[in-house]
Structures are given as structure tokens and as C-alpha cells.
Amino acid sequence: GAVVSQHPSWVICKSGTSVKIECRSLDFQATTMFWYRQFPKQSLMLMATSNEGSKATYEQGVEKDKFLINHASLTLSTLTVTSAHPEDSSFYICSARVAGGPLPTDTQYFGPGTRLTVL
Amino acid sequence: AQKITQTQPGMFVQEKEAVTLDCTYDTSDQSYGLFWYKQPSSGEMIFLIYQGSYDEQNATEGRYSLNFQKARKSANLVISASQLGDSAMYFCAMREGGSNYKLTFGKGTLLTVNP
């Protein structure tokens, strides 16, 4: 159990275009989803916390108008990188926190990540 | 100040031997959680083990155990009987009380298991 999927797994786009990344919890309901970015050989940096049905909470320094997050249901959150530029190239990973049931509610389960390259 | 410190950028271990990956943390909260994740070269973050601050016993999950020393604020990961497939990046993370379950990650330790 506790499987999180992400789509696409990789994407290459031209500068100025927008890219949408989907994060789904497949076998559990996720009260909260998180979006991270990770640069090569670095740790994960939290971008925003997304609660179902409410606005996302962004970390300091993250542009909310550039990284649009929508958490429409307990199993789906989307991150849209608007007007992407080469400096937005990174590995984006989502995670989901379990809402209830037999799985530990304190644990975040991660998706496989999306590698974004902006030309 | 860093909240999670992993002092070992890289570690090497022989196959079938045990290895300890260090993690110290800094928090003033009484309620918090500590996690270890494994990140192979594919990039996926794999949950390994969890320790709650009120848990009196060290957590264990198969070959993984967490050596939790609360007074020293350390939460070291012990991997027994290392396997080649254990070669990966390992991250220690902390969830502080009242943080909406946000995780703070350490910089990671790259473990290489030699045959």
C-alpha cells in the first residue's frame, strides 16, 4: 500500500511554456500533499504544502504565481510551472500524507519524481 | 542553524556487513517525528523507518533499525547485512510538532556497498 504516482516522469519544454505535473495517491486518501524540488546532489527543499479543498501554503521564497498548486481531491494534486525558464529545470517530487486507516498518519509517501528540463 | 545534520557525505561498507548512518537533530518541541528515506539513482524517495519522540523503544523494520538517543538528539540508522542494492542516498528527516507535518531533510549520506 501507500503508492504515490507522478506524471509525467520527465518533461522537456521550451522557455516560456507552462508545464503541469500530477501527483496521485493510488491506494489511500491523502489529507495533505507536499511539493519538493531537488537540484543535483542536493537535498529536498519543500516548496509548498497542499491541503485538499484549500489554498496551498508556500514556503518563503517560492513564487506562488509561478508554481500553481491545486489539490482538487483527496487523491490528486497538481503543480503547474508557469512560464518556465531554464532556472526552473529541476527534479520535482510530491509526497502525500495518509489521512486515516491502517497506515501511520505521520508518514509521507513520495512519488517517483518528475525531471523537468527547460530549454 | 541546521535542524537536521548528517555529517557523513559518503560512506562505504562491505557487502553483508552492518553500517551506521549518523543523524542529529535540533528542536525545542516535545512532540516530533524522525524519518529515514532512501533515494536510489532513479530518484524515488523510499520510506524506510519512523521514530516518534514519545516512542520508548527503537524502531525496527527488517534490516533497518533506528538508534534513537533522545538526550543526545541523535537518530542514527543502522543497516544490517548490507546488500548491493542498498547503495543509494539516505536522508534523515524530522517533522516538528504543529508544523502541518512538514518535513525538514538533512543533506544526505551517499552509501556505497562494495562486493
Side-chain angles (χ1 to χ4, degrees), chain A residues 7 19-24 33 35 50 56 58 67-73 75-81 94:
Chain A
H7 179 80
V19 175
K20 179 185 281 188
I21 303 170
E22 291 188 350
C23 176
R24 294 180 185 272
M33 289 184 170
W35 287 94
S50 167
Y58 291 82
F67 298 100
L68 301 179
I69 292 171
N70 184 283
H71 194 157
S73 74
T75 59
L76 173 64
S77 176
T78 60
L79 167 68
T80 302
V81 183
C94 72

Side-chain angles (χ1 to χ4, degrees), chain B residues 7-74:
Chain B
T7 57
Q8 307 153 314
M11 287 284 285
F12 293 89
V13 65
Q14 286 297 120
E15 194 178 6
K16 300 181 184 177
E17 292 186 352
V19 62
T20 298
L21 306 183
D22 294 342
C23 173
T24 58
Y25 60 92
D26 182 25
T27 181
S28 57
D29 289 348
Q30 297 299 311
S31 174
Y32 52 90
L34 297 158
F35 303 79
W36 278 93
Y37 287 88
K38 170 185 177 182
Q39 188 178 41
S41 57
S42 61
E44 183 173 5
M45 295 287 285
I46 302 168
F47 165 69
L48 296 178
I49 198 165
Y50 164 77
Q51 179 86 40
S53 58
Y54 293 119
D55 295 340
E56 294 186 351
Q57 293 201 343
N58 288 340
T60 60
E61 289 287 348
R63 295 187 298 110
Y64 305 107
S65 60
L66 197 152
N67 184 358
F68 182 46
Q69 298 190 41
K70 197 170 182 176
R72 296 179 60 186
K73 294 188 175 179
S74 74

